[in-house]
Amino acid sequence: MRLVTVGTGTVALTAERSRSCQWLEAGSHRLLMDCGSGTAQRLPALGLPWPLVTHLLLTHFHPDHHGDLPTLFQAWKHGMMTPRSAPMTIVGPVGTWGLLERLAQAYGDWILAPGWPVTLVEIQPGERLSVGDGTVIEARPVPHTVESVAYSIERGGRRIVYTGDTGFDAGLAAWARDCDLLLTECSLPASMPVAGHLTPEECAELARLAQPRHLVLTHLYPPVERVDIAGIIREKFTGPLDVAFDGFEVRIEEGE
Ligand SMILES: [Zn+2]
Ligand SMILES: [Zn+2]
């Protein structure tokens, strides 16, 4: 699997960090996890083949995680030499169909019937969604908004967990236990805590409990970058650690 953190920022707009988006290549699949505002600019800027997305996964309904969905649909419909015909699967929490219906009321029915086959899956907690080619997607509710979920992507004996936006949850850590890569939000410093988001201290505790083989932090508000994030994490988790940036890339070789 190959993960590229396309957008590592938040609703606090900065030039360096676009809103949340992750690109994940898993076998023959190309998954986009969240597509916050700015995604449509970052994907081509990073040289990622945006026409070839096979799966779109949404963690929750804040615009910094899905704001570029209409722009992407418009690009796939009108922005390619040959309009898209390849099928696409959209995976999201319960309520995703309603979100698409409301977007269609604003933009037009082409959101629901864009001209290529779209399968919508409102994934249930604990459901294991096999999407073919040996890739399995799972979701777990997280404490952020009522619909918010984290995702697990498994393939070839390897597992990536992406928290989306979340508050601290020991159950989430247990669910992510021993994953190969834990991509977690790390929003704000402990001096500015906000319910439904994590501080570096909470990320450290999450990692201590989950013991991922690689910890990667994303969704950073500017104030959190003024504290010693790595130093705080190191007090509880000594495994491989990266603070992501837009375009940060990790490859995970498949196991036996
Ligand atoms: Zn967010
Ligand atoms: Zn959010």
Side-chain angles (χ1 to χ4, degrees), residues 50 70-80 110 116:
W50 57 269
T71 305
L72 286 170
F73 268 54
Q74 196 180 29
W76 288 321
K77 190 170 176 64
H78 297 297
M80 292 158 50
W110 56 271
W116 63 87

Coordinates of all heavy atoms in Angstrom, one line a residue, residues 50 70-80 110 116:
W50 N -5.7 11.8 -10.3 CA -7.0 12.0 -9.8 C -8.1 11.4 -10.7 O -9.2 11.1 -10.1 CB -7.3 13.5 -9.6 CG -7.1 14.4 -10.8 CD1 -6.0 15.0 -11.2 CD2 -8.1 14.7 -11.8 NE1 -6.2 15.7 -12.4 CE2 -7.5 15.5 -12.7 CE3 -9.5 14.4 -11.9 CZ2 -8.2 16.0 -13.9 CZ3 -10.1 14.8 -13.1 CH2 -9.5 15.7 -14.0
P70 N -18.1 18.1 -4.7 CA -18.8 18.6 -6.0 C -17.7 18.9 -7.0 O -17.9 18.6 -8.2 CB -19.6 19.8 -5.6 CG -19.8 19.6 -4.1 CD -18.6 19.0 -3.6
T71 N -16.6 19.5 -6.6 CA -15.6 19.9 -7.6 C -15.0 18.7 -8.2 O -14.7 18.6 -9.4 CB -14.5 20.7 -6.9 OG1 -15.1 21.8 -6.3 CG2 -13.5 21.2 -7.9
L72 N -14.7 17.6 -7.4 CA -14.2 16.4 -8.0 C -15.2 15.7 -8.9 O -14.8 15.3 -10.0 CB -13.8 15.4 -6.8 CG -12.6 15.8 -6.0 CD1 -12.5 14.9 -4.8 CD2 -11.3 15.6 -6.9
F73 N -16.4 15.7 -8.6 CA -17.4 15.1 -9.5 C -17.5 15.9 -10.8 O -17.6 15.3 -11.9 CB -18.8 15.1 -8.8 CG -19.1 13.9 -8.0 CD1 -18.3 13.4 -7.1 CD2 -20.3 13.1 -8.3 CE1 -18.5 12.2 -6.3 CE2 -20.6 12.0 -7.6 CZ -19.7 11.5 -6.6
Q74 N -17.4 17.2 -10.7 CA -17.4 18.0 -11.9 C -16.2 17.7 -12.8 O -16.3 17.6 -14.0 CB -17.5 19.5 -11.5 CG -17.9 20.4 -12.6 CD -17.9 21.9 -12.2 OE1 -17.2 22.3 -11.2 NE2 -18.8 22.6 -12.8
A75 N -15.1 17.5 -12.1 CA -13.8 17.3 -12.8 C -13.9 15.9 -13.5 O -13.5 15.7 -14.7 CB -12.6 17.3 -11.8
W76 N -14.4 14.9 -12.8 CA -14.5 13.6 -13.4 C -15.5 13.6 -14.6 O -15.4 12.8 -15.5 CB -15.0 12.5 -12.3 CG -13.9 12.2 -11.3 CD1 -12.5 12.1 -11.6 CD2 -14.0 12.0 -9.9 NE1 -11.9 11.8 -10.4 CE2 -12.7 11.7 -9.4 CE3 -15.1 12.0 -9.1 CZ2 -12.5 11.5 -8.0 CZ3 -14.9 11.8 -7.7 CH2 -13.6 11.5 -7.2
K77 N -16.5 14.5 -14.5 CA -17.6 14.5 -15.5 C -17.2 15.4 -16.7 O -17.3 15.0 -17.9 CB -18.9 15.1 -14.9 CG -20.1 15.0 -15.8 CD -21.3 15.3 -14.9 CE -22.6 15.3 -15.8 NZ -22.9 14.0 -16.4
H78 N -16.6 16.5 -16.4 CA -16.3 17.5 -17.5 C -14.8 17.8 -17.7 O -14.4 18.5 -18.6 CB -17.1 18.8 -17.3 CG -18.6 18.6 -17.3 ND1 -19.3 18.2 -18.4 CD2 -19.5 18.8 -16.3 CE1 -20.5 18.1 -18.1 NE2 -20.7 18.4 -16.8
G79 N -14.0 17.4 -16.7 CA -12.6 17.9 -16.8 C -11.6 16.9 -17.3 O -10.4 17.1 -17.2
M80 N -12.1 15.8 -17.9 CA -11.2 14.8 -18.5 C -11.4 14.7 -20.0 O -12.5 15.1 -20.5 CB -11.5 13.4 -17.9 CG -11.1 13.4 -16.4 SD -11.9 12.1 -15.4 CE -11.7 10.6 -16.4
W110 N -26.9 15.7 -11.3 CA -25.7 15.0 -11.7 C -24.8 14.5 -10.5 O -24.0 13.7 -10.7 CB -24.9 15.9 -12.7 CG -24.5 17.2 -12.1 CD1 -25.3 18.3 -12.2 CD2 -23.3 17.6 -11.4 NE1 -24.6 19.4 -11.5 CE2 -23.4 18.9 -11.1 CE3 -22.2 16.9 -11.0 CZ2 -22.4 19.6 -10.4 CZ3 -21.2 17.5 -10.3 CH2 -21.3 18.9 -10.0
W116 N -21.4 7.9 -14.5 CA -20.7 6.6 -14.3 C -21.3 5.9 -13.1 O -21.9 6.6 -12.3 CB -19.2 6.9 -14.1 CG -18.8 7.6 -12.9 CD1 -18.6 7.1 -11.6 CD2 -18.7 9.1 -12.7 NE1 -18.3 8.2 -10.7 CE2 -18.4 9.4 -11.4 CE3 -18.8 10.1 -13.6 CZ2 -18.2 10.6 -10.9 CZ3 -18.6 11.4 -13.2 CH2 -18.3 11.7 -11.8

